[in-house]
Amino acid sequence: MIPPRTPQIPVVVLAGFLGSGKTTLLNHLLRNRAGTRIGVIVNDFGAIEIDAMTVSGQVGSTVSLGNGCLCCAVDASELDTFLETLTRPSARLDVIVIEASGLAEPQELVRMLLASDNPHILYGGLVEVVDAAEFDRTRQRHPEIDRHLAVADLVVLNKTDRVGEAERERLRAAVAELSGPAAVISAVHGRIDPELLFDPALRPDHEDKVRQLTFEDLLREEEPDGHEGHADHLHASYESVDFTSDIPMDPRRFMEFLDSRPDGLYRIKGFADFGEGDRDHTYALHAVGRFLRFVPRPWARGEQRLTQLVMIGAGIDAAALSAGLAACRADGAERADEPGRADAAEVERAMWGVLRYVQEQAPEPEVFDAHGTADPREAAAEA
């Protein structure tokens, strides 16, 4: 099996009722993207200000934000069309964020993403933004918020600076009860760590040296003397747990761990080695909320065979998670350094739980010229 040349692009749905702070959070992501190229799809018709640029009722338009990002204003019926445009290699995007209308049904956008035939996208989670100061009144006006929270993968309890500590704890408990297993994090002015939603892109130095001054640069210059900004405080509301093992994972125990992962564990990413379960492949793992997917790729020649995972969440027990994963490691007969001892039929049965979540590899991307037109000569040269 040959891996795709380019990874799939995660698509994050950003939802919340009017005034909750969705656009403020999105602006924060754009300003602190650290070289990541973000595609923004605005599912709304009103005047939407994004990073000091405005899209006013222009459904079907694409606007360059001038900092490696794009913005589209679309109707929901056009979502697939714009996802096709934004996932072309010529767009060079790393992540796509859909800002849902304040009155949209976010689960419908999630359903459309999961049902999409676009092989270049990967569901990146539903983030529901909640206004802490207006939560009770919002529930009175829009009782459907309970339904929205129930399907969220991550809840951002925003504007927590506008309520006292006791009220903040009450709201957090109420939101957690409604959102079930979703991680709940507190924020002020939509400031969350971008790494909660997507991995930062690593780009060659020359790509950032010769470019126009961006809004991100201007915002850094505006920080008052003696203030370090908010970057150092973004990690306070969530935890990250790393796990590495040179012993393969037992597929059955590992799937039991994933199926029973605790509330508040938002993302799991990394690679899993299943030893005798599949000696030819390592399995890239992508989990967000209750969504789970594996993508196998061949081991590279000389590559060290490891399981390497990162778990991200809020209110999680790091020690218990590490211990739970350690208990998933294979016993002696199943280890990669002792091949042939495990019963082949039993090993195959153990892998069934993993294979249920295996996704087909994306096809090789087309190669586009500067005008976005496919160039068959260049494609043939790369084949």
Side-chain angles (χ1 to χ4, degrees), residues 36-108:
T36 302
R37 297 180 185 273
I38 303 175
V40 179
I41 297 179
V42 180
N43 173 222
D44 211 337
F45 291 89
I48 307 298
E49 183 180 1
I50 296 179
D51 212 15
M53 300 194 72
T54 304
V55 181
S56 299
Q58 300 177 58
V59 175
S61 66
T62 302
V63 177
S64 172
L65 298 181
N67 60 358
C69 303
L70 294 173
C71 178
C72 304
V74 303
D75 195 339
S77 63
E78 299 176 306
L79 184 60
D80 272 334
T81 301
F82 272 84
L83 285 174
E84 183 66 31
T85 299
L86 293 179
T87 55
R88 289 178 176 177
S90 56
R92 302 173 64 209
L93 294 179
D94 301 303
V95 63
I96 296 171
V97 179
I98 301 176
E99 183 185 7
S101 162
L103 298 177
E105 288 291 340
Q107 61 266 39
E108 287 303 307

Side-chain angles (χ1 to χ4, degrees), residues 254-313:
F254 188 53
M255 290 309 302
E256 289 174 355
F257 171 86
L258 293 176
D259 288 341
S260 61
R261 52 194 187 271
D263 294 355
L265 183 55
Y266 171 56
R267 289 182 71 196
I268 308 177
K269 56 185 179 178
F271 296 88
D273 171 20
F274 292 113
E276 283 291 280
D278 187 344
R279 291 185 54 80
D280 296 326
H281 298 88
T282 178
Y283 283 71
L285 182 157
H286 169 78
V288 57
R290 297 290 122 180
F291 177 83
L292 174 64
R293 183 159 291 173
F294 288 101
V295 179
R297 70 161 175 82
W299 290 104
R301 181 175 298 179
E303 181 179 359
Q304 186 177 6
R305 300 196 172 210
L306 296 173
T307 292
Q308 296 177 296
L309 301 171
V310 177
M311 295 165 285
I312 300 172

Side-chain angles (χ1 to χ4, degrees), residues 71-350:
C71 178
C72 304
V74 303
D75 195 339
S77 63
E78 299 176 306
L79 184 60
D80 272 334
T81 301
F82 272 84
L83 285 174
E84 183 66 31
T85 299
L86 293 179
T87 55
R88 289 178 176 177
S90 56
R92 302 173 64 209
L93 294 179
D94 301 303
V95 63
I96 296 171
V97 179
I98 301 176
E99 183 185 7
S101 162
L103 298 177
E105 288 291 340
Q107 61 266 39
E108 287 303 307
L109 291 173
V110 172
R111 181 190 59 78
M112 292 172 68
L113 290 175
L114 295 178
S116 174
D117 293 328
N118 189 326
H120 304 295
I121 65 171
L122 187 65
Y123 177 57
L126 168 60
V127 180
E128 182 78 16
V129 184
V130 173
D131 183 341
E134 297 291 330
F135 177 66
D136 293 330
R137 284 183 286 272
T138 299
R139 287 189 75 192
Q140 292 176 355
R141 293 193 302 270
H142 303 290
E144 59 270 29
I145 191 176
D146 291 10
R147 184 172 67 249
H148 296 184
L149 287 168
V151 297
D153 299 303
L154 174 68
V155 179
V156 178
L157 186 60
N158 196 27
K159 305 184 183 181
T160 53
D161 57 322
R162 296 178 55 189
V163 298
E165 184 175 351
E167 176 67 358
R168 184 162 56 247
E169 290 305 314
R170 182 191 73 82
L171 290 169
R172 186 182 180 85
V175 168
E177 182 178 358
L178 292 169
S179 59
V184 181
I185 63 171
S186 299
V188 176
H189 301 302
R191 298 188 184 103
I192 66 171
D193 194 319
E195 290 193 48
L196 269 170
L197 307 184
F198 51 81
D199 299 329
L202 300 177
R203 301 197 178 280
D205 291 341
H206 66 81
E207 287 202 17
D208 282 328
K209 285 181 179 177
V210 182
R211 59 178 173 79
Q212 292 181 335
L213 191 68
T214 67
F215 290 112
E216 185 178 350
D217 300 319
L218 294 173
L219 286 165
R220 279 201 202 97
E221 292 177 2
E222 288 173 2
E223 288 291 349
D225 292 338
H227 291 264
E228 298 178 359
H230 301 269
D232 293 336
H233 308 289
L234 295 175
H235 296 272
S237 57
Y238 76 96
E239 294 177 88
S240 177
V241 181
D242 297 336
F243 176 83
T244 300
S245 174
D246 58 358
I247 300 174
M249 307 300 281
D250 175 271
R252 183 174 286 117
R253 291 200 289 266
F254 188 53
M255 290 309 302
E256 289 174 355
F257 171 86
L258 293 176
D259 288 341
S260 61
R261 52 194 187 271
D263 294 355
L265 183 55
Y266 171 56
R267 289 182 71 196
I268 308 177
K269 56 185 179 178
F271 296 88
D273 171 20
F274 292 113
E276 283 291 280
D278 187 344
R279 291 185 54 80
D280 296 326
H281 298 88
T282 178
Y283 283 71
L285 182 157
H286 169 78
V288 57
R290 297 290 122 180
F291 177 83
L292 174 64
R293 183 159 291 173
F294 288 101
V295 179
R297 70 161 175 82
W299 290 104
R301 181 175 298 179
E303 181 179 359
Q304 186 177 6
R305 300 196 172 210
L306 296 173
T307 292
Q308 296 177 296
L309 301 171
V310 177
M311 295 165 285
I312 300 172
I316 56 178
D317 186 333
L321 285 174
S322 296
L325 282 172
C328 295
R329 290 181 293 192
D331 299 322
E334 300 162 298
R335 295 187 182 187
D337 56 356
E338 301 182 33
R341 290 178 53 187
D343 178 77
E346 176 60 25
V347 170
E348 182 178 354
R349 284 193 294 272

